[in-house]
């Protein structure tokens, strides 16, 4: 038998109150349960801890010797419970978050931080397929990812589905046409995200299915870098439509392929979905939608 916290609570309460019945009321258990805790200890360790003098309970010398250490353990236990309760109530704690598209992640994160200002957030931007191994290894608690297929083996919530489009400078010839065929795409110098980008993988798979050879001249790790490159005349971009902001000074050109869509998800490991901070982040999606 291992000495348990409940047994130590019973010993401390009986000594402090001098009564099994009063100790039971304080602990919220029955009087026989308190007696059983004490009897189990005394039987296992073959020593008497409490003198039972009628209705009065008094500690033995052995009990007095260990009482201060019992109270020390219980105090530390209370501190641990208080800290954990703070995390359960979202009054403390931390959340490690990875995201691939800040335009989609930040409104949800902003809502979360407004509701739970005591939770410390660590957020990092990475391509979707770079985020997933780090989630599996426990480096992130939750991730925002982009993919063409629903991820398996994860607890997920779909945030949105987006068209994959081209973005061009306002004076580009495609602006007059208003859309682009796959042949148009093949004739352009393309600026894309890195190879591990979910958007890029879906786009290149669709191009392959259409029999198109792409001319990707530059792979960049951020949306800001892509916009700067496009506006510098170095190529046209391949992005999700919802990434484009009015301030970017680029024009959206749809690609003539109705199947060219990708979805954005919030994901965590299944065994982590009930952690308070993670569950609250999923709740923030519902509030944002």
């Amino acid at each position: 038998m291992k000495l348990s916290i409940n047994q130590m609570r019973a010993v401390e309460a009986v000594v402090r109150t001098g009564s099994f019945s009063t100790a039971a009321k304080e602990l919220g258990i029955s009087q026989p349960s308190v007696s059983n805790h004490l009897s189990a200890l005394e039987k296992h360790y073959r020593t008497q801890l409490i003198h039972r003098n009628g209705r009065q309970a008094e500690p033995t010398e052995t009990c007095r010797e260990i009482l201060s250490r019992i109270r020390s353990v219980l105090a530390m236990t209370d501190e641990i419970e208080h800290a954990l309760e703070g995390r359960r109530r979202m009054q403390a704690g931390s959340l490690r978050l990875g995201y691939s598209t800040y335009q989609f992640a930040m409104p949800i994160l902003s809502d979360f931080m407004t509701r739970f200002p005591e939770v410390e957030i660590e957020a990092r931007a990475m391509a979707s397929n770079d985020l997933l191994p780090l989630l599996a290894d426990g480096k992130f608690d939750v991730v925002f990812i982009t993919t063409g297929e629903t991820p398996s083996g994860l607890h997920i919530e779909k945030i949105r589905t987006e068209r994959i489009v081209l973005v061009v400078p306002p004076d580009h010839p495609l602006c007059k046409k208003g859309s682009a065929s796959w042949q148009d795409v093949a004739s352009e110098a393309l600026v894309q995200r890195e190879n591990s980008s979910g958007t890029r993988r879906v786009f290149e798979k669709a191009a392959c299915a259409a029999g198109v050879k792409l001319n990707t001249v530059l792979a960049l790790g951020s949306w800001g870098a892509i916009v700067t490159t496009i506006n510098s005349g170095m190529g046209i971009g391949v992005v999700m439509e919802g990434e484009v902001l009015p301030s970017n000074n680029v024009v959206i050109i749809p690609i003539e392929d109705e199947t060219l869509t990708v979805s954005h998800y919030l994901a965590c490991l299944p065994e982590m979905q009930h952690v308070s901070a993670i569950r609250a982040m999923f709740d923030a999606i519902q509030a944002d939608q």
Side-chain angles (χ1 to χ4, degrees), residues 173-192:
L174 283 175
C175 293
K176 293 182 179 179
K177 186 177 179 182
S179 64
S181 66
W182 276 115
Q183 288 69 32
D184 293 327
V185 174
S187 68
E188 296 286 346
L190 301 177
V191 179
Q192 296 202 66

Side-chain angles (χ1 to χ4, degrees), residues 17-38:
T17 64
S19 165
F20 280 77
S21 59
T22 304
K25 289 179 182 179
E26 184 178 288
L27 296 173
I29 59 178
S30 67
Q31 182 173 331
S33 294
V34 174
S35 297
N36 289 339
H37 282 316
L38 268 295

Side-chain angles (χ1 to χ4, degrees), residues 21-269:
S21 59
T22 304
K25 289 179 182 179
E26 184 178 288
L27 296 173
I29 59 178
S30 67
Q31 182 173 331
S33 294
V34 174
S35 297
N36 289 339
H37 282 316
L38 268 295
S39 297
L41 281 176
E42 292 175 330
K43 182 178 179 180
H44 180 77
Y45 292 108
R46 299 180 182 179
T47 186
Q48 188 176 9
L49 295 172
I50 300 294
H51 289 302
R52 297 158 176 83
N53 301 321
R55 294 186 178 183
Q56 188 67 28
E58 296 179 352
T60 63
E61 189 61 31
T62 299
C63 185
R64 292 182 189 278
E65 289 177 2
I66 64 172
L67 188 59
S68 63
R69 279 171 281 180
I70 288 176
R71 285 173 173 160
S72 177
V73 170
L74 294 178
M76 286 188 287
T77 301
D78 288 343
E79 286 185 7
I80 293 170
E81 289 178 343
H82 179 75
L84 293 175
E85 182 66 17
R87 280 159 174 75
R88 186 179 74 84
R89 295 179 180 275
M90 304 294 290
Q91 295 170 343
S94 62
L95 188 69
R96 299 165 301 166
L97 180 149
Y99 63 93
S100 62
T101 307
Y102 76 87
Q103 295 92 328
F104 303 158
M106 289 304 153
I108 297 169
L109 181 56
S110 176
D111 176 71
F112 179 93
M113 293 176 68
T114 298
R115 293 168 57 201
F116 307 110
E118 301 301 323
V119 177
E120 180 180 347
I121 304 292
E122 177 185 337
R124 292 175 58 193
M126 300 177 69
S128 294
N129 290 283
D130 292 329
L131 289 170
L132 289 171
L134 295 176
L135 177 68
D137 289 343
K139 301 296 191 301
F140 289 114
D141 300 312
V142 292
V143 293
F144 290 87
I145 56 171
T146 298
T147 178
E149 300 177 354
T150 303
S152 61
L154 297 173
H155 177 67
I156 62 168
E157 182 80 28
K158 182 188 286 188
I159 300 171
R160 60 203 295 166
T161 296
E162 292 283 334
R163 292 191 301 176
I164 298 177
V165 297
L166 303 177
V167 286
V168 304
D171 58 352
H172 194 279
L174 283 175
C175 293
K176 293 182 179 179
K177 186 177 179 182
S179 64
S181 66
W182 276 115
Q183 288 69 32
D184 293 327
V185 174
S187 68
E188 296 286 346
L190 301 177
V191 179
Q192 296 202 66
R193 290 288 299 271
E194 58 268 65
N195 286 325
S196 50
S197 159
T199 301
R200 178 169 178 171
R201 291 192 177 186
V202 171
F203 176 73
E204 292 186 344
K205 182 179 179 181
C208 183
V212 171
K213 184 177 180 180
L214 301 173
N215 178 29
T216 299
V217 297
L218 197 58
L220 298 171
S222 74
W223 167 248
I226 290 175
V227 171
T228 299
T229 302
I230 294 167
N231 288 327
S232 299
M234 298 172 64
I236 66 174
V238 179
V239 302
M240 288 181 285
E241 186 172 12
E243 291 182 89
V244 185
L245 303 175
S247 60
N248 294 143
N249 194 34
V250 293
V251 177
I252 294 171
I253 304 296
I255 300 170
E256 295 165 4
D257 184 340
E258 293 183 357
T259 67
L260 196 54
T261 62
V262 69
S263 294
H264 202 66
Y265 299 87
L266 179 65
C268 73
L269 298 178

